Amino acid sequence: MIRQQAGPAALAEADLAALGSAAELVRTSGTVSRMLRTLAPALGEAERESLAAWCVPAHAAVLVFPTAPGGLAEALAGLGLAVSGPPTPSTVVRDRLRARYGIRPEALEVSIVRAAVPTEDGGLGEIEVFSLPVPQAAGPGPGPVAGGRAAGGSGAETGAETGAETGACLHHLVRRERAERNEAHVAFRVTDADEVVFAGLRFLLVERAGMRPDGGGYNPHEDVTVLYFRSAAPAGTPYARLELLMPGHRTSALAAHRLVERDEPGRTLLELMTGAWRTQAIAVAAELGVFDALSPDGGGPAPVADLAARVGADPDGLDRLLRYLATLGLLAGPYGPGADTYAPTGLGELLRTDAPHSMRPLALMYGGPFYESFGQLLYAVRTGGDAFAHHFGAHHFPYFAEHPPWDTAFDRSMQASSLMFGPIPAVVDRPGVDVVVDVAGGNGELMKQILTAAPRLRGVLLEREHVVAAARGRLGEAGVADRCTFRVGDFTEAVPGGGDVYVLSRVLHDWDDRGCADILRRCAEAMPEEAELLVVERLLPPDGGNSLAVAWNVHMLCNVGGRERTLEHYRRLLAEAGFDLVETAPLPLDGSLLRARRKGAAAPALPVPSRSELA
C-alpha cells in the first residue's frame, strides 16, 4: 500500500485521501481492461479487451487544495512519491473552475504536478495532481483570503472586502470540489493514430458503455486531441470521468463528440432550433452593455437589481436574460448573497467593448441587420439570390455606406476576426519584400499588424474613400501611417502597381466566380513578375468535415451573394487568372493562407506559422 505520512499542515485529510486513492489506483489497476471494470461496468469482457488493445494507461488525476506553500510537495513525499519535473500552470482546469464558480483567474493559481508511482508489475505509472492553494479560514465557515481579490470587484472596494468575497467563493469551491470530484479522472492514451480507431473507441464508450460525452478539445502545445467522458457508474464512484488522448488535431472526432454531448435527440434538436434565441440574447446583452458593466471599470459583479439600474433594464427581465446567458457559458453564477450575482467567463469577456479582439460589434451585427436578412434565407435558398438585398433593397456594402452607424459597426466587427492575421506579418517580413499592397484593406487592421511587426516595410492600402479615412486613423494611432500610402479606388477596375506582396484578405468570398476572376486579373495586371499574392480565406472541407467555413458559406449566400470555397476551387480560379498556387498554411479561426505566384515565377519557401502562433 502507498504509505500516508504527510502532516495535517500539508493537506487536509480529504486531500490526502484523494492523493492516496489516486496513487493506489495507478499502483494496483495496471491495465486499461482492469480500470474499465469500474469506469465502464456495462462493457463485457470482450469489449473491454477490444478497447484495451488500442490504449495504454496515461495517468490518474486529482484536484487538491494545499493550505500553505510547499504543502503538496510535503504530502507527496509523505506518500513516498517522486515528483516528475517542476510544476506547470494548468489553464484548462483554471478556466473550468472559473466558469463553474465565477472567480477571477488571478485568484485561481492552478498548477500541475506529476508524480511517478511504482506499479505492481514493476513499472512506473503516473498521477497528475492539480493544485490550487487555498489558505485556511481564520474561523468557522468561509473566511478571508489574504491579498485576495473579489471576482470582478470594484476598485473602490477595500482589500479586506475583496479578500473576504474571494475567500468565501474559494472555500465554497473547495467544499463542492471535494464532494463532487469534478476534476478527478483516469486518462488513457490511444496508441494508433488512425481516426477510424478513434471513432470506434468513442462509439464503444458512448454507445456500449453508456458514458456521456463531457467536453473535449485540441491541445496545440502537446499536439493532442482530448475527449472527456462521464461514467455511468453508480454515484460515489471515485473516478467517474475518463480522458481519452490521441496525437494530432482530430476535427471530425471532436465534431462528432460535441454533437452527442446531449444524449437526448429531442433536446438536442430543440437547442438547435432555438439558436436564434441565443443570437438575440447575446446581441441584447451587448447592446445593454452588460459585460462592460460587469467589468472592474464598470463596477464589477453586483446583485441583479443593481446591475439592472446600471444598464437601464427591468430587473426581472434582466435576471431571466442573465440565467440564459449563464447556460450558454458566457456568465458564471449565480453566486453570492441571495444567489443573484453573475461574473463574465472568458467567453463573456470577449463581449466587453475594451476587450482585445472584442466581439461586441460582431454580436450587434449578427443580432441586427444580418439577423433580419437571415429571416429571408428561404428566398436565398430557393432563388440563389442575395437575401440581404431582397430584404433591405440594396447589397450590404452600399446599404451600410448609406447608413453610417451600421457601416461603422460593420468595420469594427471585422476586427473580431483579426486573430486570423497573427502569423501573416512573419510571412511577409523577409528579404526581397519591401512593399506590401493590401487590396480592399478595410479598416487597416492587417496593414497595422504588418507594419508594426516589420518596421522596415512600407505599405499601400486600397479602399473606398470613407473606409480609407478609418484606416488612416487606425494606422495613425499605431504610429505607422507615415509608412503607408492610402489609395482610394475600386479594386475591380484597377490595383496599385509596384508591390512585392499583394494581399487579398477575406475579399474573394464576397464575390461569385466571375467577380473573383475580375479581381484576380486586376491583381495579375498590376503585379511585377516576381511579386506574390497572399489570399486569406476559410476553406470548405472537401470531405464534408467540420469547419467555420460551412456555416459562413450559408452566411455568404444569404447576406453577400458570395461563397466559401474549397482549396481546389481557389486553385482553379487562380490558375484561370494566371497564377500558380504554390503553398498553403493554416491560420487561427479556421482560416488558411494561400500563396500564389505568377505562372513560372520562382517561389521561395513560405515561413509556416508555429503552433504557438496558431494557439
Side-chain angles (χ1 to χ4, degrees):
M1 294 289 291
I2 299 292
R3 65 185 188 276
Q4 298 188 24
Q5 297 176 353
L11 285 179
E13 288 298 324
D15 290 346
L16 284 172
L19 278 178
S21 68
E24 196 67 15
L25 176 70
V26 172
R27 187 182 74 84
T28 61
S29 293
T31 66
V32 166
S33 181
R34 289 176 63 184
M35 291 184 179
L36 286 171
R37 292 174 188 170
T38 300
L39 279 165
L43 287 180
E45 187 65 31
E47 291 171 320
R48 287 199 298 270
E49 292 298 333
S50 177
L51 197 151
W54 301 99
C55 302
V56 293
H59 59 256
V62 65
L63 172 62
V64 298
F65 309 95
T67 57
L72 179 57
E74 294 175 19
L76 290 171
L79 294 169
L81 300 179
V83 174
S84 308
T88 57
S90 174
T91 55
V92 173
V93 172
R94 182 200 66 189
D95 289 346
R96 283 169 59 87
L97 294 174
R98 177 189 188 189
R100 195 174 297 140
Y101 299 101
I103 302 175
R104 288 203 168 272
E106 56 264 33
L108 296 172
E109 298 180 1
V110 185
S111 60
I112 304 173
V113 173
R114 294 180 172 88
V117 179
T119 59
E120 288 183 336
D121 60 4
L124 280 179
E126 186 177 72
I127 59 172
E128 187 174 79
V129 185
F130 302 112
S131 172
L132 171 58
V134 178
Q136 287 182 324
V145 176
R149 182 179 173 193
S154 167
E157 295 173 316
T158 67
E161 289 169 338
T162 57
E165 184 176 345
T166 303
C169 292
L170 283 173
H171 286 281
H172 170 65
L173 178 157
V174 171
R175 287 193 296 272
R176 270 191 56 184
E177 289 301 316
R178 282 178 178 156
E180 298 173 8
R181 296 175 60 85
N182 292 303
E183 302 307 323
H185 65 260
V186 171
F188 298 159
R189 189 173 300 278
V190 181
T191 56
D192 192 293
D194 191 326
E195 284 215 27
V196 175
V197 171
F198 206 22
L201 297 177
R202 194 187 63 79
F203 176 85
L204 269 177
L205 292 170
V206 174
E207 302 298 333
R208 299 294 302 154
M211 300 187 84
R212 177 170 58 85
D214 191 34
Y218 171 65
N219 181 343
H221 304 291
E222 298 181 14
D223 189 26
V224 64
T225 295
V226 177
L227 303 184
Y228 290 105
F229 303 83
R230 181 72 62 177
S231 175
T237 301
Y239 290 88
R241 198 162 179 257
L242 171 64
E243 180 183 22
L244 203 62
L245 306 120
M246 184 176 184
H249 192 177
R250 310 296 170 175
T251 55
S252 297
L254 279 172
H257 193 67
R258 290 164 178 161
L259 187 64
V260 296
E261 280 196 65
R262 298 288 192 184
D263 56 5
E264 300 174 63
R267 176 172 180 163
T268 299
L269 189 56
L270 279 173
E271 290 184 342
L272 292 173
M273 290 191 296
T274 56
W277 302 358
R278 300 183 182 195
T279 302
Q280 278 300 307
I282 294 169
V284 167
E287 178 70 30
L288 289 172
V290 166
F291 296 93
D292 289 333
L294 290 173
S295 71
D297 291 341
V304 171
D306 294 344
L307 184 62
R310 290 182 198 171
V311 302
D314 173 72
D316 179 66
L318 183 62
D319 182 58
R320 299 186 194 196
L321 176 64
L322 298 179
R323 286 182 179 273
Y324 185 40
L325 294 172
T327 70
L328 303 181
L330 298 173
L331 293 174
Y335 69 91
D340 65 349
T341 299
Y342 295 83
T345 62
L347 281 179
E349 288 187 344
L350 288 173
L351 292 165
R352 285 169 48 177
T353 302
D354 62 352
H357 309 291
S358 171
M359 290 190 170
R360 182 175 182 268
L362 204 57
L364 297 176
M365 293 299 300
Y366 289 158
F370 288 150
Y371 187 85
E372 289 187 47
S373 60
F374 245 96
Q376 303 296 319
L377 179 61
L378 179 61
Y379 167 84
V381 173
R382 277 184 168 166
T383 67
D386 181 342
F388 190 101
H390 176 70
H391 181 69
F392 289 102
H395 186 274
H396 88 274
F397 285 124
Y399 178 84
F400 289 155
E402 294 173 5
H403 297 78
W406 282 123
D407 200 49
T408 300
F410 178 75
D411 282 339
R412 288 176 177 170
S413 72
M414 294 299 97
Q415 294 176 231
S417 298
S418 61
L419 282 169
M420 192 181 291
F421 301 154
I424 296 177
V427 173
V428 300
D429 185 15
R430 62 176 187 270
V433 176
D434 297 310
V435 179
V436 179
V437 180
D438 194 352
V439 180
N443 62 13
E445 176 64 27
L446 176 55
M447 184 62 76
K448 182 196 79 172
Q449 291 192 27
I450 290 173
L451 297 183
T452 300
R456 67 177 190 81
L457 294 181
R458 292 178 291 115
V460 178
L461 187 145
L462 175 69
E463 253 299 357
R464 297 162 291 161
E465 184 171 2
H466 70 288
V467 182
V468 160
R472 192 189 305 274
R474 175 171 291 277
L475 270 66
E477 291 173 1
V480 296
D482 60 326
R483 290 189 283 121
C484 185
T485 301
F486 299 91
R487 296 283 184 85
V488 174
D490 182 347
F491 56 82
T492 64
E493 296 179 357
V495 171
D500 301 304
V501 171
Y502 286 70
V503 182
L504 287 170
S505 175
R506 308 299 309 282
V507 171
L508 297 180
H509 74 158
D510 288 335
W511 299 81
D512 60 18
D513 283 4
R514 180 178 297 178
C516 286
D518 288 341
I519 296 166
L520 291 170
R521 277 196 290 269
R522 298 294 86 78
C523 290
E525 291 166 0
M527 290 171 58
E529 186 67 25
E530 297 303 316
E532 68 180 36
L533 176 67
L534 300 180
V535 176
V536 179
E537 294 288 354
R538 290 190 175 104
L539 298 178
L540 279 174
D543 57 357
N546 186 40
S547 167
L548 290 174
V550 176
W552 258 254
N553 200 27
V554 180
H555 172 66
M556 304 313 291
L557 165 69
C558 189
N559 289 297
V560 182
R563 67 186 308 126
E564 306 292 355
R565 296 172 172 88
T566 63
L567 178 62
E568 290 307 312
H569 197 157
Y570 278 117
R571 189 191 304 275
R572 185 171 70 251
L573 289 173
L574 288 163
E576 290 170 357
F579 290 98
D580 287 325
L581 177 61
V582 296
E583 206 157 8
T584 63
L587 296 174
L589 299 178
D590 283 359
S592 291
L593 182 63
L594 282 61
R595 177 179 171 232
R597 305 277 294 186
R598 300 284 293 278
K599 285 186 179 296
L606 174 69
V608 178
S610 68
R611 294 197 180 278
S612 62
E613 289 175 311
L614 299 179

